[in-house]
């Protein structure tokens, strides 16, 4: 007898044996059930049946045949069924959750590095080119980049305001050290007058407006991108710990553990039966699918739009060049600005001063210059692209979740005897419904009622972030 013929014969014998066992008087001993109960549920075997007996008090695992289950065992199986569902969901989503959380952390870390690098570049500019004002400018530079970080990571700060604050604080330094070098007024009121006059005098030309435009265009998409990733993690965490209805718990108990009561400890549910139970239990979750799909598409569109002046990496790492242009502009217009300041604030008392020299740590300069030589493959844009390509594989996660659970783990393979909720059969003969709430009206295994307020809340949050993203250029 050749191998294929032997294999077919063996499967036929197995099928007959399994199907035939349901037509007999059932299992004669509950020993295997007792062992499995103790191993699976870490339950005491005291009080468990040694042999099958009537089970009139059973609520779900009812049968005309003698049973190896008691009411207490059924209750423990009910708890195990809920835990199994939770574990199955968490296992199914683990890859997706890790993908988003890992990249959210990596993007935040990269942005923090870019902020430090841009701050170093700006500090190096003052140390190398404008050493006399470097020490006094250090606080303003640090405050500016602190505000950049706060905004990127979700704080309620206004980019226009912190850009204006930076250039307001820069003008008195430029005036004292470049326009009127070597002399300064000791009065804080005079410096405050110069600071307040900056927006009227426009000593830096249109550069502050350019910086505002670039910061606004680049920081907001990056901020939105990070917030969207954190929302993705929140969605998965919520669905991982969703509370299932009583009908779902009973249906899963019947599918997973009721065959144990008849001694069928190796049986698996039929595919169609499993799909009906899982699609019923996860019907509300399946309603997330179109919104999750749109969420990933919106993230992809947002990532594609973040280039050029909308690329936060480009904007931050070139900020020091605009600062240099601004200082040079004021220096060139020095005589005119000096006359204007004299008219507004009066003439300064000409007290020669010696400004403290730059004490910038050279190791920071080396650090800044070192990380400026970046590998093209390590840019933030390339990391985003790789992430989006991986995330795109999970666009139908919530719509395909019930099927994934049955196909990958829960259900019997095609052609094998399987459990249909009552007995071991050759195939499941009931109608198999589709995914989503609307398709559950004809579900023979579980009744699905109403909507889930937790799911509705998640859908509203996804809609909100999806609606925010098309406001950016090229996100159409």
């Amino acid at each position: 007898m050749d191998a294929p013929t032997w294999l077919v014969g063996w499967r036929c014998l197995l099928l007959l044996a399994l199907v035939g066992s349901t037509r007999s008087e059932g299992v004669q001993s509950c020993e295997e059930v007792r062992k499995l109960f103790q191993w699976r549920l870490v339950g005491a075997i005291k009080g468990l049946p040694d042999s099958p007996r009537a089970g009139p008090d059973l609520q779900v695992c009812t049968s005309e045949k003698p049973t190896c289950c008691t009411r207490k065992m059924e209750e423990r199986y009910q708890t195990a069924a809920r835990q199994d569902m939770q574990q199955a969901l968490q296992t199914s989503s683990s890859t997706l959750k890790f993908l988003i959380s890992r990249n959210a952390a990596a993007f935040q870390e990269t942005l923090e590095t870019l902020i430090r690098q841009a701050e170093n570049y700006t500090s190096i500019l003052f140390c190398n080119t404008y050493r006399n004002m470097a020490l006094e400018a250090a606080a303003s530079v640090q405050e500016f980049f602190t505000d950049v970080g706060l905004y990127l990571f979700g704080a309620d700060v206004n980019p226009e305001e912190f850009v204006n604050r930076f250039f307001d604080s820069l003008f008195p330094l430029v005036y004292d050290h470049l326009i009127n070098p070597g002399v300064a007024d000791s009065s804080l009121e005079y410096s405050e007058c110069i600071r307040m006059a900056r927006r009227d005098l426009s000593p830096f030309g249109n550069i502050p407006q350019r910086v505002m435009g670039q910061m606004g265009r680049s920081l907001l998409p990056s901020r939105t991108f990070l917030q969207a990733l954190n929302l993705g993690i929140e969605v998965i965490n919520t669905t991982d710990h969703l509370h299932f209805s009583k009908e779902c718990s009973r249906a899963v108990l019947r599918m997973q553990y009721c065959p144990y009561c008849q001694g069928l400890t190796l049986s698996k549910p039929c595919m169609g039966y499993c799909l009906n139970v899982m699609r019923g239990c996860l019907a509300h979750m399946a309603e997330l699918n179109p919104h999750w799909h749109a969420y990933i598409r919106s993230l992809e569109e947002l990532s594609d739009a973040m280039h050029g002046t909308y690329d936060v990496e480009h904007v931050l790492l070139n900020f020091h060049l605009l600062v240099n242009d601004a200082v040079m502009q004021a220096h060139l217009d020095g005589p005119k600005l000096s006359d204007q300041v004299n008219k507004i604030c009066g003439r300064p008392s000409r007290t020669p001063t010696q400004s403290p020299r730059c004490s910038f740590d050279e190791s920071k300069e080396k650090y800044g210059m070192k990380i400026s030589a970046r590998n093209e493959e390590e840019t933030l844009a390339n990391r985003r692209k790789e992430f989006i390509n991986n995330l795109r594989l999970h666009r139908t996660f919530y719509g395909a979740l019930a099927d994934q659970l049955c196909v990958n783990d829960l259900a019997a393979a095609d052609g094998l005897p399987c459990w249909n909720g009552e007995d071991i059969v050759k195939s499941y003969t009931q109608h198999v419904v589709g995914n989503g709430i609307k398709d559950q009206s004809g579900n023979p295994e579980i009744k699905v009622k109403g909507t889930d307020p937790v799911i509705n809340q998640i859908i509203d949050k996804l809609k909100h972030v999806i609606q925010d993203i098309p406001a950016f250029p090229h996100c159409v």
Side-chain angles (χ1 to χ4, degrees), residues 1 12 182 211 249 254 277 292 294 298 328 350 375 395:
M1 181 181 297
C12 289
V211 172
S249 296
R254 186 180 298 109
V277 172
W292 182 256
S298 296
M328 291 299 296
R350 303 183 66 81
N375 188 316
R395 285 176 296 186

Side-chain angles (χ1 to χ4, degrees), residues 182-424:
V183 297
D185 188 272
S186 59
S187 168
L188 292 176
E189 288 78 9
Y190 191 78
S191 292
E192 179 65 14
C193 180
I194 298 175
R195 192 186 72 81
M196 294 294 291
R198 196 274 302 176
R199 301 186 197 188
D200 293 328
L201 299 181
S202 298
F204 304 123
N206 70 342
I207 290 174
Q209 285 71 35
R210 287 174 59 191
V211 172
M212 284 181 205
Q214 289 187 12
M215 289 291 168
R217 287 191 297 267
S218 66
L219 298 185
L220 181 56
S222 293
R223 169 186 167 112
T224 303
F225 192 79
L226 265 181
Q227 289 175 333
L229 295 189
N230 288 326
L231 174 59
I233 297 170
E234 180 185 345
V235 169
I236 297 169
N237 282 336
T238 302
T239 55
D240 273 355
H241 298 90
L242 207 61
H243 293 289
F244 295 101
S245 67
K246 182 179 179 180
E247 290 80 4
C248 170
S249 296
R250 290 168 67 93
V252 175
L253 166 62
R254 186 180 298 109
M255 182 180 78
Q256 289 288 88
Y257 291 104
C258 285
Y260 290 9
C261 297
Q262 297 184 29
L264 304 171
T265 56
L266 299 179
S267 68
K268 278 194 169 188
C270 303
M271 180 61 71
Y273 175 44
C274 181
L275 289 174
N276 276 340
V277 172
M278 289 295 103
R279 287 174 178 176
C281 283
L282 303 179
H284 296 108
M285 205 178 293
E287 297 298 308
L288 279 170
N289 196 57
H291 307 285
W292 182 256
H293 191 285
Y295 160 79
I296 293 178
R297 185 176 65 249
S298 296
L299 278 178
E300 183 177 1
E301 292 168 351
L302 176 58
S303 180
D304 289 342
M306 294 161 63
H307 58 81
T309 56
Y310 297 92
D311 180 3
V312 68
E313 187 170 22
H314 171 83
V315 170
L316 288 178
L317 296 184
N318 287 280
F319 172 73
H320 67 289
L321 300 178
L322 288 177
V323 172
N324 185 56
D325 290 345
V327 175
M328 291 299 296
Q329 178 72 47
H331 192 195
L332 290 173
D333 293 339
K336 181 181 73 172
L337 290 171
S338 183
D339 290 340
Q340 292 173 327
V341 169
N342 289 341
K343 290 178 182 178
I344 296 173
C345 301
R347 293 183 177 276
S349 57
R350 303 183 66 81
T351 305
T353 61
Q354 182 65 43
S355 298
R357 290 286 180 171
C358 172
S359 60
F360 188 68
D361 187 349
E362 290 184 1
S363 65
K364 289 186 178 180
E365 180 174 357
K366 291 177 182 177
Y367 172 74
M369 295 305 180
K370 180 179 179 181
I371 60 176
S372 66
R374 297 166 58 81
N375 188 316
E376 184 66 23
E377 296 181 356
E378 295 179 353
T379 64
L380 194 57
N382 284 336
R383 289 180 182 178
R384 280 198 310 268
K385 184 177 180 180
E386 181 183 359
F387 165 65
I388 292 297
N389 286 339
N390 290 326
L391 186 62
R392 199 183 291 119
L393 301 175
H394 301 273
R395 285 176 296 186
T396 60
F397 174 74
Y398 285 105
L401 184 55
D403 299 47
Q404 178 186 341
L405 290 174
C406 289
V407 171
N408 291 352
D409 183 48
L410 298 178
D414 289 341
L416 293 181
C418 54
W419 172 255
N420 70 350
E422 296 180 357
D423 220 333
I424 294 293

Side-chain angles (χ1 to χ4, degrees), residues 35 51 59 81 93 121-122 170 185 195 236 244 288 457:
K35 288 180 180 178
S51 59
Q59 301 294 305
S93 67
Y121 282 178
T122 309
L170 182 60
D185 188 272
R195 192 186 72 81
I236 297 169
F244 295 101
L288 279 170
Q457 187 178 27

